[in-house]
Amino acid sequence: MKTPARQTGGKDMKCRQAFQWMGPYMDGELSGEISGALEAHLRSCPRCARRLQSMRDLVREVSSLPTVEPTPAESRRIMKRVRHEMEAPATPRPAVRWAPVATVAFSILVLVSAASLLAVLSTGEPAVQVEETAPLGSAAGNQSRALAGGESASLDAAGAAVVPASLAQPVMVVSGNEYAAGDLADFSGDIGTRLKFYSAYWQPSVAGTAALVTRDLQQKLVEDLAGRAQAAGEDAQGLRSALEAALAQTESKNLLPCYAELAVVEGRKAWLVSLSGPEDCLLFPDPEIPQSVLLASLGGEEGLRTSRSLLQELVSGMPPLEGAVPGELSKRTALDGEAAAGTQTEAPQSAGGSADSTREEAALRAEWEKKFQAFLDRIAPQYANTKIIKAMERLNYEQVLMFLAGDWSGLAAGGVNLSELLTPPKRLWAVDAANGEVVWSPK
Amino acid sequence: MMPENDDNLREENRRTDEELISAFLAGDQASFEELAQRYESVIMNMAYRLLGNRSDAADVTQEIFILLLRKLGSFRGEAKFSTWLYRVSLNACHDYARRLRRHVSISESPGDDLPELEERLADDGLESPEQSLERAEVQETVQEAIGRMPYKFREIVFLHDISGYNYKEVAEILGINLGTVKSRLNRARNRLAKELETYREQS
């Protein structure tokens, strides 16, 4: 409904202006002078007087709505859940264990890695080689001192020092389990070991060092696993070949053999071997691991496949970020149905400029949220990974923007569980134990 | 209903919100329980008024406390705790409302899970049964009308007209300017007032 801007006496006040002042007037937030003018208008304009009365009536009803309290049963349930949450063992929080000395170096790495992550997301190619990342190297130097206790330890020496015998031993199992190739995509026997490896080798506080000694570590771990196979009376050389076959198939050199299982795949005796990489942090159901995502960027495209395809699809279905031209938006006055119907929506004049920009922002926000929901509706049936769709549904407007921009740190800081949005790559191979042929690989 | 205000409600031995938070962050879980109990009704009422449904309100109240457990470490004490809490809770309710909207049709009939009107009437001896019934119907009408508004209107009505925050405080909680508070609240009330008028004309 549109109120004509007519003169109705009461000095020169228009009904439209009177309406804007009614709320502050009722709430005692209007200056005396303006209140006097409004009162004069109300005396001469029965329509506005009725309107004010009806607003007062409404506010009285709203403010007398009864307080809804939890019932004792609801309260018990809430508190029980709270206690359960407090008593749950804390999930690993790498940030807490951060060595302060490495923080500055890593914060530079953060910038570098964020850029490389974006590059990975947009081109599909890793943009920065680990070995070339200078800040990582300096973090490693500091860290290796801390671990090795020596000054300026050589990298090899640091490598030797950084593999504590008590941590993250690789696992070798002779299971004889029979797997069909189709089962292997969901194989999870290696997950526990990968998590341990993440904590021991890839977590930010040690990542720098580990990254630089990967090749050395790879060989040590291959030999370790082969030794375990031999001790179990199995063919050590066969396992060694299987591990090398798997390593040869990976683009990244930044991987560590962590798990081997002697099983039967598609009727053939085969070694299942699993490699751990920095993106294994994504296996943690922990929303507070922003650094992990930066490490994920070091893992290259494989680590982010799912999210990248989602991102590409999302970008194609949404207007470009730069498309938010304020001029275009300001042409629209409607924010919702009510505004579209012509009700006065002006903010008081004193706040006109910022109110305009607020409205533009709100219009943009509403439009994006709508598009985003439509996007989710459209892709949901096509995606087997319902976890990702559900996680995306929970993103608010700002988070959608962060998602589009690849701002994983921002998302993590906002409490978004990144492990739901990003999927760690499967790094499992099945290699024929007799002839070294790769029976199954992740691709 | 006014939110608990630690200035006027504080008793001699009552610890402030901030003291409870410090104790919790130092490892005392009981302090968080005390804080949760302190705000349980406020949040439940907020969630009910914003979502219009009792079981959703209880669910989101629980979610909000879990969220607080995780977020308390990032409470910097720049704003009053209650301001921060309202902000976090309103956002959580908004997220929840959007999830509801996607999975079920949201609040088609707010209050569906409440007992029948007649059973809800308090017999306080001050009103006739007819008056009580009428009051309950008006309240139901108002609650339903609130539930039909965009979320930003619901939250501003909740903060100002139900919780009793003034314009400045509302602006601070929602992170919007005073002009927007005034115009948004006016529009929301105008919309509700029209619905209430229509209801009164019809009944």
Side-chain angles (χ1 to χ4, degrees), chain A residues 183-241:
Chain A
D183 299 336
L184 293 179
D186 297 322
F187 182 81
S188 59
D190 57 336
I191 300 290
T193 313
R194 286 173 68 182
L195 286 173
K196 280 186 199 148
F197 265 57
Y198 173 76
S199 298
Y201 301 115
W202 304 119
Q203 186 178 303
S205 58
V206 295
T209 310
L212 289 168
V213 298
T214 294
R215 265 164 234 165
D216 187 34
L217 266 179
Q218 272 179 357
Q219 281 316 304
K220 282 188 204 305
L221 289 162
V222 167
E223 286 312 311
D224 188 306
L225 282 165
R228 286 165 198 265
Q230 190 160 24
E234 298 296 338
D235 175 15
Q237 188 52 40
L239 176 53
R240 208 175 274 123
S241 306

Side-chain angles (χ1 to χ4, degrees), chain A residues 160-179:
Chain A
V162 85
V163 191
S166 59
L167 269 180
Q169 298 299 304
V171 169
M172 200 286 304
V173 188
V174 180
S175 74
N177 289 343
E178 294 186 19
Y179 300 101

Side-chain angles (χ1 to χ4, degrees), chain A residues 6 73 79 81 90 107 115 126 183 188 219 244 253 296 301 329 333 346 374 386 399 405 425:
Chain A
R6 61 201 162 100
M79 292 313 295
R81 176 78 177 81
S107 61
D183 299 336
S188 59
Q219 281 316 304
E244 274 155 15
K253 300 294 171 222
E301 57 179 325
L329 282 164
T333 53
E346 310 295 324
T386 53
Q399 290 165 339

